[in-house]
Amino acid sequence: MTEATDRSKRQNFFLVLILGGLNAITPFSIDMYLPGFPGIARDLHTSMGNVALSVSTYFLGFALGQILYGPLLDRFGRKSPLYIGMSLYILASLGCIVFPSISWLLAARFFQALTGCVASVAAIAMVRDFFPAKENVRIISLLVLVLGASPLLAPTAGSFVVITLGWRWIFVVLALLGFIMLLVTIFFLPEGHAPDPSMSLKPGPIIKGFRTILLTRQFYKYALAGSFSFAGLFVYVAGSPAIFMEDFGVSPGVYGGIFAFLSIGFIGGSQLNHLLSRKWTNEEVLRAIIAIQAVTALAYFIGVYNHWYGLIGNIVFLFVILLCTGLSYPNAAAIAMIPFSKNAGSASALLGCIQIGIGGLISAGAGILHVKGSLAVAVTMALSSATGLVILLAGRAGKAQPLASNG
């Protein structure tokens, strides 16, 4: 019995590593090229603000791709769509090297996200495939640990590549990482969900299926509340190069170090769930954390507006906001996914679309405001976190289906 248990634990650990690797493709695709912003702006003869739009277009492509892959993952199983999507992601990453203008780069980044997002959709769906519902928050927290560790490595690695080889080589590295994960998927990842011929790929049934998921109260309440909370991460990622390299004039190397430090807040938040869930329910944790995030974001906005904070002040407030984001994401995602089993792929896709779509639109809004740098980030963070809190409190009547019930 002990030997079988140990084998099961090793298999689960290996599964989490693979799913975490798939989930890490997106943060590496976003974070690794951030230190290259000044070089991209110089070589493509554009502004840092226009280069930052390539982050927002990635988010939007990622959101739309979720809708594409959700039904495919339910109809054809998890692995076949992964093969196709990851292969196209590799080609899109290499395409980012050759385009001569910012407009072409924006288009290439959109296609890179549209194809590579299959990795994240499949990873979240396979949590529901491989593990009982009561384990979902813990497993998603572990995936967030891998996802959160990516910003520790990606900007630092990106800084090294930019300094030694130039920003275009970052996309070569991303293509190589995609190729490695494609091989791991082919040879080591089991099929989590058998192909289901009953799942129609016609637009009518697909839309009806998404509508059923979207109108499930537990889903839309926690998906929306969690998404507006999670948008703080997207605003920070898109706006941090302007805050630190433009407003405060730090070098790409120092920026990579600051980015890595702040990502510790996101990682720490995601892992605090293990401790907090022993005493409070996931709903209670989520409500408290989104409230703390909203208050902190408001204080950050007031201080930035009045020019109270220097470099250290910005880092401290962003650290706390990212800590709250890391806590809210696993709880909101796990609770939203509870009602679904057969259509977990579509539910995961819709959840990701809502999260990334809202985050992408809000981060794009920060980029087109008449204010720049810290103030643009602060005002959008304050508005998005307050919106998440209002949604959560407005839908408070009635309890969510408990995590243990879908074992």
Side-chain angles (χ1 to χ4, degrees):
M1 181 69 71
T2 302
E3 182 179 348
T5 302
D6 290 342
R7 189 184 306 114
S8 178
K9 287 182 177 179
R10 287 195 301 269
Q11 290 172 343
N12 287 345
F13 176 75
F14 192 52
L15 272 176
V16 170
L17 283 182
I18 296 176
L19 297 182
L22 290 171
N23 212 30
I25 287 174
T26 292
F28 262 89
S29 299
I30 296 169
D31 301 334
M32 193 171 182
Y33 89 125
L34 296 178
F37 271 28
I40 296 172
R42 182 184 61 250
D43 291 350
L44 300 185
H45 309 292
T46 189
S47 67
M48 288 268 285
N50 285 336
V51 177
L53 285 176
S54 65
V55 178
S56 299
T57 58
Y58 190 97
F59 291 153
L60 294 176
F62 190 93
L64 292 176
Q66 309 262 334
I67 299 298
L68 171 67
Y69 285 110
L72 294 177
L73 288 165
D74 288 332
R75 172 62 179 83
F76 296 108
R78 310 307 189 205
K79 296 187 70 173
S80 295
L82 269 172
Y83 298 158
I84 297 171
M86 291 304 300
S87 298
L88 293 174
Y89 168 85
I90 295 167
L91 295 177
S93 299
L94 295 175
C96 292
I97 302 169
V98 300
F99 293 124
S101 70
I102 186 63
S103 298
W104 280 106
L105 179 63
L106 294 178
R109 288 285 288 170
F110 179 86
F111 187 68
Q112 186 188 30
L114 192 69
T115 55
C117 72
V118 64
S120 296
V121 182
I124 297 299
M126 284 189 282
V127 170
R128 193 67 182 85
D129 293 338
F130 293 131
F131 302 96
K134 63 183 179 181
E135 292 288 307
N136 283 184
V137 170
R138 184 180 68 84
I139 301 301
I140 292 176
S141 293
L142 291 174
L143 294 189
V144 171
L145 175 61
V146 178
L147 179 135
S150 304
L152 287 172
L153 303 174
T156 304
S159 297
F160 176 79
V161 174
V162 168
I163 293 169
T164 57
L165 298 172
W167 63 266
R168 285 182 172 85
W169 279 89
I170 291 175
F171 295 103
V172 176
V173 174
L174 290 175
L176 180 60
L177 292 176
F179 180 68
I180 291 171
M181 287 311 304
L182 177 60
L183 292 180
V184 170
T185 300
I186 292 172
F187 293 109
F188 299 106
L189 182 66
E191 177 60 78
H193 178 79
D196 185 356
S198 68
M199 298 295 294
S200 175
L201 296 180
K202 295 180 179 179
I206 289 176
I207 293 172
K208 183 178 179 181
F210 278 131
R211 182 177 180 274
T212 299
I213 295 168
L214 189 58
L215 293 181
T216 301
R217 184 179 176 279
Q218 179 162 329
F219 178 84
Y220 69 72
K221 170 185 172 181
Y222 291 97
L224 289 174
S227 295
F228 278 99
S229 170
F230 197 56
L233 176 65
F234 295 89
V235 174
Y236 158 73
V237 169
S240 60
I243 293 176
F244 297 116
M245 289 192 285
E246 197 168 54
D247 289 0
F248 292 103
V250 305
S251 67
V254 173
Y255 167 74
I258 293 173
F259 198 94
F261 170 74
L262 287 173
S263 68
I264 295 173
F266 183 73
I267 296 171
S270 68
Q271 300 313 298
L272 275 176
N273 268 320
H274 295 297
L275 298 176
L276 297 178
S277 61
R278 295 175 184 174
K279 189 172 182 180
W280 294 285
T281 68
N282 298 103
E283 285 185 275
E284 290 170 339
V285 171
L286 185 63
R287 280 200 303 270
I289 290 304
I290 291 184
I292 292 170
Q293 182 185 17
V295 172
T296 304
L298 178 61
Y300 180 50
F301 164 67
I302 293 172
V304 169
Y305 182 79
N306 290 286
H307 306 287
W308 292 344
Y309 310 134
L311 177 62
I312 300 302
N314 275 269
I315 290 174
V316 169
F317 274 94
L318 289 172
F319 185 93
V320 176
I321 292 169
L322 291 175
L323 182 98
C324 294
T325 303
L327 267 166
S328 65
Y329 171 73
N331 287 290
I335 297 172
M337 286 289 291
I338 292 299
F340 312 104
S341 54
K342 177 181 178 181
N343 53 349
S346 296
S348 172
L350 191 56
L351 175 65
C353 178
I354 292 171
Q355 288 178 330
I356 308 300
I358 288 175
L361 290 172
I362 291 175
S363 65
I368 62 177
L369 290 175
H370 293 299
V371 294
K372 297 182 178 180
S374 300
L375 187 56
V377 170
V379 68
T380 47
M381 280 185 167
L383 290 173
S384 65
S385 57
T387 302
L389 180 61
V390 168
I391 290 171
L392 194 63
L393 295 180
R396 190 170 177 180
K399 291 185 175 294
Q401 184 177 336
L403 292 175
S405 65
N406 250 19

